[in-house]
Amino acid sequence: MNTAKKLSEQLLQSAGITINGTQPWDIQIHNEDVYERVLREGTLGLGESYMEGWWDCQQLDAFFFRVIRADLESELNRNRTAILKLILKNVWAKMVNLQTKKRTHTLSEKHYDLGNKLFQSMLDVRMNYTCGYWKNAQNLSEAQLAKVDLVCQKLMLQPGMSLLDIGCGFGAFAKYAAEKYGVKVTGITLSREQYQFAIKNCEGLPIEIRLQDYRDVHEKFDRIASIGMFEAVGHLNFRTYMQMIHRCLSDDGLFVLHTMGANKTSVRGDGWLAKHIFPDGMSPSIKQIGKSSEGLLVMEDWHNFGADYDKTLMAWHKNFNEHWNELKQDYDQCFFRMWNYYLLSCAGGFRAREMQLWQIVFSKKGLIGGYQAPR
């Protein structure tokens, strides 16, 4: 048995996973070269080898839950021969701003512009592409409705207020806030597909949808919401982002930041996700959010419901697979494996509590008398 395979077996066994075993979370190997590839390339090699059919697993979400919970990536990094390459990547990420205005269009083009048909098949009827709130929900639709209403409650919206929706997506939140709370909304996005969809989706309401970078917004707003967009900002731009919030938020205003979060501070995202799903994306840590907002904003509330993303992703996975016969006319088998890997690996990550989902409420100067957070 070669060294790479022996090490892989030992690592996986420590997580309760057997190579070619009978449990649904066990992996089935089709190409023996996978062991050296994963040791050499890490998560990028693991994901790309799956896309290419080198291995399979009946329940990828359960596999990743065990791998992540056992912290096998740390063990892998200690044993991998390409550790120098990893270090050099970290140095590069610290020095180079991957989220410049020019490059921010890359994420929109490679992910959000994949086609509205894909997202309509996968998401809820309102087209929310962020984590739902499952506290009292029985299905995806109820969870997404509860999420957008929770954000509205946290913002303490009142009729006639002006609201900036940064990264407005398909317009789901903007439409709900305008219809149910009577506010005037400005939504910004860099995705042309989302932009066109959101304009039609919000037609007839006091909503303006713009194809605009957050750095180019200069008006004042009573309220600001950022739902699932901060992950695309990049650590070198976190401070610039918070300065923009401070500049555009009224003195007595509120800002809700809804973002995925990392347990540990990093300067780059997962290799496979960053290449194939969210180019140049990364989840911020508590430290990074705190440092970037210090002296600009007052944190009023910090709410973690990361476990709800597991349920949301599994619901998206179910919808995606149920509609695959219609979607496969536009997407190939490699995309099918890639998209399932994306949804299920992330579900496993949130289930293992390695990934978080935070809703953070900020004010500009601190609310007199304090802030009562809805749950």
Side-chain angles (χ1 to χ4, degrees):
M1 184 185 298
N2 64 50
T3 303
K5 182 175 182 180
K6 184 176 181 180
L7 175 59
S8 299
E9 279 193 343
Q10 291 173 348
L11 289 171
L12 290 172
Q13 283 176 358
S14 69
I17 298 168
T18 302
I19 294 174
N20 297 325
T22 59
Q23 297 297 327
W25 52 81
D26 290 334
I27 61 172
Q28 310 302 315
I29 302 300
H30 309 308
N31 187 331
E32 293 286 316
D33 291 337
V34 69
Y35 306 113
E36 290 187 2
R37 183 174 182 179
V38 173
L39 285 178
R40 184 176 65 250
E41 302 174 6
T43 59
L44 178 62
L46 183 67
E48 290 189 338
S49 62
Y50 179 83
M51 289 167 60
E52 295 165 20
W54 287 25
W55 62 278
D56 274 300
C57 179
Q58 185 179 339
Q59 290 184 10
L60 275 174
D61 54 310
F63 166 77
F64 277 102
F65 167 75
R66 284 162 174 78
V67 166
I68 295 169
R69 196 68 177 174
D71 198 19
L72 293 196
E73 187 176 6
S74 294
E75 292 295 324
L76 187 61
N77 285 339
R78 280 191 280 271
N79 288 278
R80 201 182 325 150
T81 57
I83 190 68
L84 179 59
K85 184 178 179 181
L86 184 67
I87 293 172
L88 290 175
K89 278 187 177 180
N90 273 323
V91 172
W92 176 256
K94 288 179 180 178
M95 296 172 59
V96 179
N97 188 349
L98 298 176
Q99 290 81 13
T100 60
K101 284 186 181 180
K102 185 177 181 180
R103 284 185 63 91
T104 49
H105 290 276
T106 303
L107 173 58
S108 297
E109 293 169 359
K110 288 193 174 182
H111 188 88
Y112 298 110
D113 291 345
L114 281 170
N116 290 339
K117 183 180 177 181
L118 168 65
F119 294 106
Q120 285 175 301
S121 298
M122 186 178 79
L123 307 179
D124 65 301
V125 67
R126 295 178 183 84
M127 295 286 281
N128 288 278
Y129 192 26
T130 50
C131 180
Y133 188 48
W134 292 80
K135 181 180 179 181
N136 298 310
Q138 299 301 314
N139 54 56
L140 180 63
S141 180
E142 291 179 4
Q144 294 293 11
L145 182 62
K147 185 267 302 295
V148 292
D149 194 67
L150 182 66
V151 175
C152 290
Q153 291 182 50
K154 288 181 176 180
L155 286 169
M156 300 171 63
L157 294 182
Q158 297 294 328
M161 283 183 171
S162 59
L163 167 65
L164 174 63
D165 182 6
I166 305 175
C168 63
F170 299 101
F173 173 70
K175 183 177 182 180
Y176 183 85
E179 286 180 335
K180 301 299 182 181
Y181 286 85
V183 297
K184 296 176 292 184
V185 187
T186 299
I188 62 172
T189 179
L190 291 177
S191 165
R192 293 189 179 278
E193 292 277 345
Q194 290 185 336
Y195 169 73
Q196 293 168 358
F197 188 99
I199 287 177
K200 293 180 180 178
N201 192 26
C202 299
E203 193 173 4
L205 293 166
I207 299 172
E208 178 189 6
I209 304 297
R210 302 176 186 170
L211 201 61
Q212 186 177 37
D213 189 280
Y214 70 90
R215 284 162 282 209
D216 296 328
V217 180
H218 296 279
E219 306 102 300
K220 289 283 186 181
F221 296 90
D222 298 313
R223 301 289 189 263
I224 300 177
S226 177
I227 306 175
M229 179 271 177
F230 196 63
E231 301 89 336
V233 169
H235 73 103
L236 291 176
N237 300 313
F238 286 163
R239 184 66 175 179
T240 299
Y241 187 91
M242 293 300 183
Q243 287 171 338
M244 172 265 173
I245 298 296
H246 181 267
R247 179 179 72 240
C248 294
L249 187 64
S250 64
D251 287 347
D252 59 351
L254 289 173
F255 164 50
V256 169
L257 177 64
H258 172 117
T259 180
M260 289 187 285
N263 291 338
K264 298 177 182 178
T265 297
S266 178
V267 295
R268 64 186 184 90
D270 171 82
W272 184 85
L273 284 171
K275 180 178 178 180
H276 293 281
I277 305 298
F278 298 111
D280 304 332
M282 58 164 289
S283 295
S285 67
I286 291 174
K287 179 181 179 180
Q288 287 168 324
I289 293 174
K291 183 178 181 181
S292 63
S293 62
E294 185 174 338
L296 296 172
L297 302 167
V298 176
M299 192 278 289
E300 299 283 359
D301 181 58
W302 198 303
H303 183 189
N304 184 355
F305 53 96
D308 285 17
Y309 227 143
D310 177 14
K311 296 179 181 179
T312 303
L313 286 155
M314 294 306 294
W316 290 344
H317 171 259
K318 181 175 181 291
N319 289 343
F320 172 70
N321 280 271
E322 286 180 349
H323 290 90
W324 177 245
N325 280 336
E326 306 153 34
L327 292 170
K328 66 183 181 182
Q329 300 171 21
D330 303 309
Y331 305 93
D332 61 17
Q333 188 66 19
C334 184
F335 180 88
F336 175 75
R337 292 180 68 87
M338 178 188 77
W339 207 253
N340 273 298
Y341 188 91
Y342 149 53
L343 295 172
L344 294 176
S345 63
C346 288
F350 282 103
R351 193 178 307 165
R353 302 311 311 282
E354 176 71 13
M355 303 166 72
Q356 311 303 328
L357 190 285
W358 298 321
Q359 280 191 357
I360 312 165
V361 181
F362 291 97
S363 65
K364 202 165 181 178
K365 296 182 177 180
L367 294 188
I368 301 300
Y371 177 84
Q372 299 298 317
R375 292 288 189 270

